[in-house]
Amino acid sequence: IIASNIGGIPEIIRHGTSGLLFERNDHTKICYNTAKLLTNRDLYNDLARNSKIFVNKINWKKSGNKITKIFYE
């Protein structure tokens, strides 16, 4: 995962652990991170594995209920 380092994204994606983050509008870093993933298979596999572990720990029903509650407030 390559994502911008804004809003709540850094709470979900840990730079270097479950993805690669870049500052908003930093086009150079977007390209760098993309090239890094395309050329480093070990990093790619590590990030993919760690992302799956993180996602499997989430209680999706509880998260959905929180989002619904916020939406209706």
Side-chain angles (χ1 to χ4, degrees):
I1 297 173
I2 300 172
S4 59
N5 189 12
I6 59 170
I9 293 172
E11 295 176 28
I12 297 170
I13 300 170
R14 304 282 187 236
H15 182 74
T17 301
S18 58
L20 298 175
L21 298 174
F22 60 90
E23 295 298 322
R24 183 177 180 194
N25 296 323
D26 187 346
H27 304 106
T28 302
K29 194 69 169 188
I30 296 169
C31 294
Y32 174 79
N33 286 341
T34 302
K36 193 172 183 178
L37 281 184
L38 290 173
T39 59
N40 188 334
R41 180 57 82 179
D42 290 336
L43 176 62
Y44 174 89
N45 289 330
D46 288 344
L47 296 179
R49 183 182 61 252
N50 292 335
S51 295
K52 288 176 187 176
I53 291 168
F54 176 77
V55 166
N56 288 329
K57 290 180 181 179
I58 295 173
N59 181 330
W60 291 103
K61 182 170 181 145
K62 187 176 177 181
S63 296
N65 288 339
K66 284 182 181 180
I67 292 169
T68 301
K69 183 179 176 184
I70 290 168
F71 180 77
Y72 284 108
E73 287 180 349

